[in-house]
Amino acid sequence: ALIRNMFVDAKQRAVAIGIWAAVFSAGTALGPVLGGVLLESFWWGSVFLLGLPLMAGLLVLGPVLLPEFRDPDAGRLDLISAGLSLAGVLGVVYGLKRIAEDGLAGPPVLFIVAGLVVGVVFVLRQRTLPDPLIDLRLFRIPAFSVSLAAGLLALFTWAGTYLFLAQYLQLVKDLSPLEAGMWLLPAAGGSIAGSMLSPALTSRVRPARVLAAGLWLAAIGFAVVTQVEPTSSLSILVAGSIVFSIGIASTVALVTDQVVGAAPAERAGAAAGLSETGGELGLALGVAIVGSIGTAVYRGDLDDALAPGLPAEAQEAARDTLGGAVAVASQLPESAAAGFLDTAREAFTHGLQVTAGASVLVAATTAILVALVLRRAGADAPSHAQPEGPFEDIRTPHATDRLATVHSTAPLPCRGCGPELITTAAAVTRTDEPT
């Protein structure tokens, strides 16, 4: 929201958001490496201490260095809506995770249905509130709603597959946390490159095409990951992760720019909040749904290979996670442990392959829908056609209103509105004196 108002020129804003996304990706790259360093020397909880000095620095420097933009007509926070949204998402996610663990049964289905019902109540409540938690009017803007959905689905595909990659490196390839973090660095480098590539491309190519191309690139990367085997070279995994990271990062950077740029300046906060919420929801659902698919495949394969004489507790631990299977193998005789561990690793890798395959399907389908819907909605125009004015905090000494003389000319399509709406182009003569 601050970037939306700090950079009033659309082209500059796209570059700024690309840099923001690249820094986000750089944090993703540093996290596994620094976490691996801590895990090599300290207890597992030490990784949570990484955020303390960073957040302390932000709390001190943020108010000093960041400008303030706020809506003078902002309403009150509706805590009931916040509770409804949380309950709806948790109900659906919990039900999906239980189905993946125990199979289709009555209680998990009831949780999913209850979550969906609460979600409907949440939406209906937003329609009646004078100050809704989510401004549903923003969804009437095609570029906003389609881009938001594309960002959610892009991170949906990324989350489940990336979750399996980290475990594959440590539990199948038997790498240390630090070594696994180093092997994930190339993918993070791809994310940085994709974030910076997106604004450069949209200055020459229509945003809908760039968005679709990023999703197709992600689908290709996920397809490469489907070829990973327990004994295959890590170059296959690294190549696939670099490709899909470039595609996902370019998509997320462009989606953020489109979502925030499509909303009116005074609704930048709401648009940015929805963009972040959509991304976090995509990550959560990706882990819950795509991750659960891979976990179900792993458990199904392992059930067929578990030794009848294995104690019930050991069987349950092995079915839960590959980490549990590794722990069980360490307690078996050496002759039985090697075969059991190979079976568990093959089952987990099969789950990774299916997870990546599901991501291919979702990414490719989203790419097709984005290209079709944005073109039909007329939101396929170049994104940097004209600068837009800032939403200024009029209480600051830097904000001045200037006198303008407007001369009406021919009507032109309203940028960001539906094709049925028009606005009048104007030749504006401005004076330099503040009024």
Side-chain angles (χ1 to χ4, degrees):
L2 290 177
I3 289 174
R4 167 67 174 83
N5 289 287
M6 289 166 61
F7 297 91
V8 298
D9 178 76
K11 186 174 182 179
Q12 291 180 347
R13 184 186 68 234
V15 174
I17 289 178
I19 294 173
W20 165 82
V23 172
F24 194 94
S25 300
T28 305
L30 290 174
V33 176
L34 294 177
V37 171
L38 291 174
L39 290 174
E40 293 284 340
S41 306
F42 305 101
W43 87 111
W44 67 269
S46 64
V47 296
F48 296 99
L49 300 178
L50 276 175
L52 292 180
L54 298 175
M55 292 301 102
L58 179 61
L59 288 173
V60 172
L61 297 176
V64 176
L65 299 178
L66 295 176
E68 180 72 79
F69 298 94
R70 55 174 72 190
D71 184 356
D73 299 321
R76 297 176 60 185
L77 174 65
D78 182 42
L79 294 178
I80 295 178
S81 293
L84 287 172
S85 65
L86 182 63
V89 172
L90 287 180
V92 172
V93 169
Y94 179 76
L96 291 171
K97 297 295 286 183
R98 296 298 298 179
I99 289 175
E101 183 175 351
D102 302 325
L104 190 63
V109 172
L110 287 177
F111 272 103
I112 294 174
V113 172
L116 294 175
V117 170
V118 172
V120 172
V121 173
F122 169 81
V123 172
L124 294 176
R125 182 175 177 82
Q126 304 315 295
R127 293 178 177 271
T128 61
L129 292 175
D131 300 307
L133 187 66
I134 292 180
D135 189 352
L136 299 179
R137 294 173 297 176
L138 292 172
F139 290 94
R140 299 174 186 172
I141 306 172
F144 177 91
S145 55
V146 174
S147 297
L148 190 66
L152 186 153
L153 291 172
L155 289 173
F156 172 89
T157 61
W158 180 86
T161 303
Y162 201 81
L163 173 70
F164 270 70
L165 289 183
Q167 296 180 74
Y168 173 87
L169 289 171
Q170 294 183 63
L171 300 175
V172 176
K173 289 299 186 180
D174 201 23
L175 302 179
S176 69
L178 178 58
E179 291 171 330
M182 297 298 293
W183 280 102
L184 291 173
L185 274 178
S191 295
I192 295 173
S195 301
M196 300 302 299
L197 183 66
S198 181
L201 288 175
T202 52
S203 63
R204 300 174 177 84
V205 185
R206 295 180 182 274
R209 296 178 181 176
V210 177
L211 194 56
L215 290 165
W216 277 118
L217 193 62
I220 293 172
F222 291 129
V224 173
V225 175
T226 62
Q227 304 307 304
V228 170
E229 298 286 350
T231 57
S232 62
S233 169
L234 284 176
S235 60
I236 299 176
L237 182 146
V238 171
S241 63
I242 290 174
V243 174
F244 76 64
S245 295
I246 293 174
I248 295 296
S250 64
T251 299
V252 171
L254 180 55
V255 160
T256 304
D257 181 38
Q258 291 291 295
V259 167
V260 176
E266 67 274 10
R267 303 302 297 160
L274 281 172
S275 177
E276 285 295 303
T277 301
E280 295 297 337
L281 183 60
L283 291 172
L285 292 178
V287 171
I289 298 176
V290 181
S292 293
I293 292 173
T295 301
V297 172
Y298 163 76
R299 287 173 174 162
D301 287 1
L302 199 62
D303 283 343
D304 297 335
L306 285 174
L310 202 63
E313 291 183 1
Q315 291 188 25
E316 190 61 29
R319 288 184 71 257
D320 278 346
T321 63
L322 179 57
V326 172
V328 169
S330 65
Q331 302 172 7
L332 295 176
E334 187 174 347
S335 57
F340 175 77
L341 198 53
D342 287 343
T343 300
R345 286 171 171 168
E346 288 177 3
F348 183 86
T349 304
H350 186 203
L352 168 62
Q353 294 168 346
V354 174
T355 297
S359 296
V360 171
L361 182 62
V362 174
T365 303
T366 306
I368 295 171
L369 293 177
V370 163
L372 293 176
V373 175
L374 284 183
R375 185 179 296 115
R376 290 176 181 173
D380 195 24
S383 62
H384 310 315
Q386 59 183 359
E388 299 177 13
F391 172 57
E392 295 183 312
D393 184 346
I394 61 174
R395 293 168 296 178
T396 65
H398 305 292
T400 58
D401 295 326
R402 301 187 183 278
L403 187 63
T405 304
V406 180
H407 308 284
S408 63
T409 59
L412 292 175
C414 173
R415 182 173 170 282
C417 304
E420 73 281 357
L421 298 178
I422 60 172
T423 187
T424 300
V428 181
T429 304
R430 302 174 71 99
T431 65
D432 292 329
E433 300 80 19
T435 59

